[in-house]
Amino acid sequence: MRRRGSDEAYEPLAASRPVDEECPCQEGMRPQAGLGRRQLLLSAASTLGATALAAGAARAAESAPPGSVHYDVPEDPTKEQGRPLLADGGYGTRSQFETEVRSKANNPTDLTSWTFTPLAAQIGNLTPSGLHFERHHGGIPTIDPARHELVVHGMVGTAKKFSVADLKRMPSVTRKHFIECSGNTLTEWAKPTAKNVQVTHGLLSTSEWTGVLFSTLAREVGLKEAALWVLAEGADAAVMTRSVPLEKLLSDGMIAYGQNGEALRPEQGYPLRLLLPGYEGNTHIKWLRRLQVSDRPFMTREETSKYTDLMPDGRAKLFTLQMGAKSVITFPSADMMLPKPGLYEIKGIAWSGRGRVQSVEVSTDAGKTWRPANIENVAEPMCTVRFNCPWAWDGQAATLQSRCVDETGYVQPTREELVRLRGLNSVYHYNAIQSWAVAADGGVSNVHA
Amino acid sequence: MSTLKFGLAALALSLGASAAFAETLEVGAPASDQDLARYFAIQPDGEGLPPGSGTVSAGAKVYGERCAACHGDKLQGVPAAGGAPLVGGRGTLSSAKPVKTVESYWPYASTLYDFVWRAMPFDQPGSLSPDEVYAVTAYVLAKGGVIPEDATLDASSLPKVEMPNAKGFYDGRGPDLPLYNAGR
């Protein structure tokens, strides 16, 4: 079970520790810290509230990880009848033995802060909706879809408002895409800082999104000749706004209402969010209520004060919207422990905001030599792929790296290359090669190689 | 079905289909001026600014009552409240420790009006009147030495405010060209 709580995010790098004999470590390779008893009881109480009443099967006295319900484990499941169907009230929960949760950044207020996806535990290419990373600037609003509208106006033929039901009546598309916050990995510019891959790279998640293409909406309202930009606005307390090039919206922008086969999660923008494949996460406006077509950008706070890249000369780049090619090894990764020398399967995730992933290479000698990795799933545009690469660890210290090349020929840079180009003040868009050091004792840590 | 009949049916079908694509779907309702009145977004040239005005001294009162708790008496920021410093930092942007504030970093005064009106005070968003926003905007800019202490801001004067870092930004769209020379 992973530790949660505000102190996790920016703790100094923990020295690798031996595997705790007591703990049922995942795959026998990962040290784990327990949730506090009190925290467990609290989360159990809130999880159980609804389901226990409906099902009557759970025992409130027992604890279960968030998103699960505790059931007593029989000695031999073949000698006892199991639960009747719909004991879960009609909406399934995960197993009580699955414990991964999002962790949060250590910020003064949880109303404007972020959570990290537990990437090391992710199985397959899609992030479970309940583990999708978050970034909110004014908390998570509760929105009744029956009262929510999307207004499209400005340089259009006819300004129109669309109910959620209206949008669901329109032709839809279903596409898999990642969303990555451009602040992902920002702690790693100057020195290795975050203690594990959840914190270094966990502002990245992948979902199957369903919604209406902006181009479909555009035909309903008509666009005026000089239109070039569109302001997207959310219905949260931050009334979040970003200006988006019209060209991008017309090429693949989507108003999404579905995520992984069901409605968007509230923290992902229920009932509507903007989806701009490959663009920095902040532009994928959640709780989307308005699109204002214009001939110029609005220069909102999020595209001037924030999300601009300060260069060494003191000037800053506006509208660096596209996410670069990037990859990270999720196993083995920092804070893990390899029990003994032998054959391991290096595993990781690669992605690019510029198109499909073309290839991924893995190095076990700090980038001196590279081997091609196997790509586990079909590469799709602006979508993650899973990769793996067998590795016979001889018990000597090793430095693991992965490198992504996308279909445009863009090669994921080293940290030195990136720092030479951008200096150390640009904060956003850090997509350098990540290094994990495996020590002779099997402990894995975050390093700059 | 005879070949002729089948052919006609297919023709009708394809006409129907192409007609559907050429026409609108007739989904959604027209948005009236009244529908749109509740929204705003302010451009650097002042487009979108509401009527009204505010002075620096009126802004001092608004600031003290509605902002100081989180941004500090001297606009120096209150880290524990998450409120950033709003002034200071000029001349630091190319240093090892850049201090990005409204005064040192923001390129447009319109952004301050727009952001405060939509999202501040953090705990009571959208609660300020246009006059209060003009006033507190004037106060923040005066404390940052951007406008004089006796200034009044309104829809015509606010877009004329020249921010210290107005020329500090450039369009960063497009490929990161030097990356292709990174090895050299």
Side-chain angles (χ1 to χ4, degrees), chain A residues 108 137 159-161 220 233 239 241 290 296-297 299 305 308 315-316 318-319 354 410 420-422 425, chain B residues 25-27 29 31 35 40 43 45 47 79 95 105-106 111 118 122 168-170 172-173 176 179-180 182:
Chain A
H137 291 258
K160 277 192 163 183
K161 49 186 182 180
E220 292 303 302
E233 181 179 86
V239 204
T241 44
R290 185 163 80 94
R296 57 207 194 283
M299 301 299 179
S305 172
T308 46
R315 296 189 310 142
L318 294 157
F319 302 114
R354 307 157 49 88
Y410 176 109
R420 203 182 314 146
L421 296 172
R422 304 214 190 126
N425 289 343
Chain B
L25 299 158
E26 289 176 17
V27 173
D35 289 328
F40 69 87
Q43 285 278 8
D45 63 10
E47 189 185 306
S95 75
Y105 196 58
W106 290 34
T111 309
R118 70 178 59 242
F122 187 64
F169 291 84
Y170 58 101
R173 275 180 295 160
D176 205 351
L179 210 45
Y180 296 91

Side-chain angles (χ1 to χ4, degrees), chain A residues 222-276:
Chain A
L223 296 172
K224 293 219 166 120
E225 194 71 53
L228 278 175
W229 289 83
V230 178
L231 183 86
E233 181 179 86
D236 58 330
V239 204
M240 179 57 59
T241 44
R242 284 299 297 263
S243 307
V244 181
L246 179 62
E247 192 185 356
K248 172 65 178 175
L249 277 161
L250 288 173
S251 78
D252 57 3
M254 184 202 297
I255 289 84
Y257 50 78
Q259 178 185 9
N260 297 331
E262 60 183 353
L264 297 177
R265 291 290 167 105
E267 62 277 12
Q268 292 307 321
Y270 184 87
L272 301 174
R273 88 175 299 167
L274 188 59
L275 207 88
L276 299 171

Side-chain angles (χ1 to χ4, degrees), chain A residues 145-388:
Chain A
R147 288 170 47 197
H148 189 78
E149 275 177 349
L150 173 64
V151 176
V152 186
H153 69 118
M155 296 178 72
V156 297
T158 315
K160 277 192 163 183
K161 49 186 182 180
F162 300 90
S163 67
V164 177
D166 285 339
L167 293 168
K168 287 184 174 170
R169 274 178 54 206
M170 301 177 83
S172 53
V173 294
T174 294
R175 293 174 180 177
K176 294 188 206 92
H177 293 297
F178 72 83
I179 300 180
E180 183 186 16
C181 177
S182 56
N184 200 20
T185 328
L186 68 76
T187 54
E188 307 302 306
W189 281 98
K191 53 183 196 317
T193 303
K195 69 168 190 149
N196 61 29
V197 70
Q198 180 165 12
V199 183
T200 56
H201 288 77
L203 299 179
L204 166 83
S205 303
T206 299
S207 300
E208 182 187 84
W209 304 99
T210 296
V212 181
L213 286 177
F214 174 81
S215 57
T216 307
L217 270 190
R219 258 199 309 275
E220 292 303 302
V221 295
L223 296 172
K224 293 219 166 120
E225 194 71 53
L228 278 175
W229 289 83
V230 178
L231 183 86
E233 181 179 86
D236 58 330
V239 204
M240 179 57 59
T241 44
R242 284 299 297 263
S243 307
V244 181
L246 179 62
E247 192 185 356
K248 172 65 178 175
L249 277 161
L250 288 173
S251 78
D252 57 3
M254 184 202 297
I255 289 84
Y257 50 78
Q259 178 185 9
N260 297 331
E262 60 183 353
L264 297 177
R265 291 290 167 105
E267 62 277 12
Q268 292 307 321
Y270 184 87
L272 301 174
R273 88 175 299 167
L274 188 59
L275 207 88
L276 299 171
Y279 268 29
E280 62 185 8
N282 179 254
T283 61
H284 300 226
I285 300 292
K286 296 184 285 189
W287 314 293
L288 183 70
R289 73 171 191 182
R290 185 163 80 94
L291 294 168
Q292 181 177 352
V293 182
S294 177
D295 57 356
R296 57 207 194 283
F298 288 75
M299 301 299 179
T300 71
R301 181 251 188 171
E302 303 303 319
E303 61 212 21
T304 53
S305 172
K306 306 291 169 190
Y307 301 105
T308 46
D309 305 352
L310 186 57
M311 294 292 117
D313 67 359
R315 296 189 310 142
K317 288 187 184 181
L318 294 157
F319 302 114
T320 50
L321 299 167
Q322 211 171 28
M323 301 306 295
K326 192 165 172 179
S327 66
V328 68
I329 292 171
T330 54
F331 177 83
S333 59
D335 213 22
M336 294 184 185
M337 187 83 194
L338 298 180
K340 56 178 192 300
L343 192 63
Y344 290 94
E345 199 70 27
I346 292 173
K347 294 187 177 191
I349 304 178
W351 64 100
S352 172
R354 307 157 49 88
R356 291 176 183 79
V357 171
Q358 181 78 37
S359 60
V360 182
E361 297 158 301
V362 166
S363 172
T364 55
D365 56 10
K368 283 189 209 64
T369 58
W370 294 92
R371 280 189 293 154
N374 303 309
I375 307 284
E376 292 186 16
N377 53 297
V378 175
E380 295 177 63
M382 282 74 87
C383 188
T384 44
V385 297
R386 299 301 308 232
F387 66 85
N388 61 63

Side-chain angles (χ1 to χ4, degrees), chain B residues 86-178:
Chain B
L86 302 177
V87 296
R90 282 201 218 194
T92 65
L93 296 180
S94 58
S95 75
K97 281 210 181 338
V99 179
K100 296 191 258 181
T101 69
V102 173
E103 176 189 344
S104 68
Y105 196 58
W106 290 34
Y108 303 106
S110 60
T111 309
L112 183 57
Y113 193 102
D114 179 281
F115 180 71
V116 172
W117 201 16
R118 70 178 59 242
M120 290 292 134
F122 187 64
D123 52 350
Q124 291 169 302
S127 63
L128 298 182
S129 69
D131 284 350
E132 287 173 312
V133 181
Y134 277 118
V136 81
T137 298
Y139 179 76
V140 171
L141 294 176
K143 291 294 135 189
V146 181
I147 58 172
E149 289 282 340
D150 61 357
T152 301
L153 289 184
D154 58 23
S156 77
S157 60
L158 186 140
K160 297 194 186 93
V161 172
E162 173 94 10
M163 296 297 281
N165 194 38
K167 299 200 163 56
F169 291 84
Y170 58 101
D171 193 339
R173 275 180 295 160
D176 205 351
L177 289 178

